[in-house]
Amino acid sequence: MQEQTIHEAEFEANLGMYWLLSGAAYFTLSIVGIPLLLLWFPIGLWGTRRYIRNMSARLTSKKLIVRRGILTRTENTVPLDKITDIALIQGPIMRLMGLHKLTVETAGQSGTGALISLVGIVDAPGFRAQILEQKERLSDVHSPAEASAPTEDNALLTQLVEMTASLKRIEALLAAKYNS
């Protein structure tokens, strides 16, 4: 069955500027980095544009697929039923620029921190809500199978009760036979 794409995320136009300013702040704070500022803006501008062009986040009916990278391209595919937390983070500079960081954590992930961290998604709260809504829909689809499990358990329990009663009758008959 082909998975349906529910939403393809877009990224904010000012995301590259945010990364450039963040990098410049780090270089400025380190004495060694101050001379590198002259190289940072042309190289950083090229790198951030290329990185953003290679980024994508796609929500399908069953999973979240995130692609990114310049030299090493990475694709993370996260089944929606494995997602345990989706957080929205907004620092002071992000708030000024209207950006959010969306982090996704999963059950059983190794290491600390988020498995996926995306900065600058257009309408990040809306994208988060769509992921949570689709996760809920997916769990609703699986819940009828889980609801039928108690009836199967009741049938097994009834059989066990009948078997126990039969065993008690047999024990009583054997006890009467050997006691007489």
Side-chain angles (χ1 to χ4, degrees), residues 10 17 29 33 41 48 54 59 61 97 149 155 163 166:
E10 296 177 18
M17 184 58 66
L29 291 175
F41 282 102
T48 55
N54 290 331
L59 174 63
S61 54
M97 300 184 88
M163 288 171 55
S166 294

Side-chain angles (χ1 to χ4, degrees), residues 3 18 23 42 55 85 108 160 165 178:
E3 283 191 53
Y18 167 73
M55 281 178 34
D85 186 36
L160 283 173
Y178 286 112

Side-chain angles (χ1 to χ4, degrees), residues 12 59 68-69 104 120:
E12 297 281 356
L59 174 63
R68 60 184 157 207
V104 178

Side-chain angles (χ1 to χ4, degrees), residues 71-84:
L71 299 176
T72 303
R73 302 240 170 109
T74 305
E75 179 178 307
N76 294 87
T77 302
V78 181
L80 295 178
D81 58 351
K82 300 293 184 204
I83 293 176
T84 57

Side-chain angles (χ1 to χ4, degrees), residues 122-140:
V122 173
D123 188 26
F127 188 61
R128 177 181 184 254
Q130 285 183 324
I131 294 170
L132 292 172
E133 184 179 310
Q134 184 59 30
K135 179 178 169 29
E136 185 68 30
R137 274 193 206 126
L138 196 58
S139 67
D140 287 346

Side-chain angles (χ1 to χ4, degrees), residues 17-94:
M17 184 58 66
Y18 167 73
W19 280 337
L20 278 174
L21 292 176
S22 297
Y26 288 123
F27 283 135
T28 303
L29 291 175
S30 69
I31 296 170
V32 177
I34 292 174
L36 295 176
L37 279 173
L38 296 173
L39 295 173
W40 170 244
F41 282 102
I43 293 171
L45 185 63
W46 171 83
T48 55
R49 283 183 182 161
R50 183 142 185 210
Y51 192 84
I52 293 168
R53 194 173 43 240
N54 290 331
M55 281 178 34
S56 70
R58 185 167 47 108
L59 174 63
T60 69
S61 54
K62 294 183 180 179
K63 57 191 166 196
L64 177 64
I65 302 167
V66 176
R67 293 183 181 113
R68 60 184 157 207
I70 296 176
L71 299 176
T72 303
R73 302 240 170 109
T74 305
E75 179 178 307
N76 294 87
T77 302
V78 181
L80 295 178
D81 58 351
K82 300 293 184 204
I83 293 176
T84 57
D85 186 36
I86 303 174
L88 280 175
I89 301 166
Q90 196 176 37
I93 297 173
M94 289 177 151

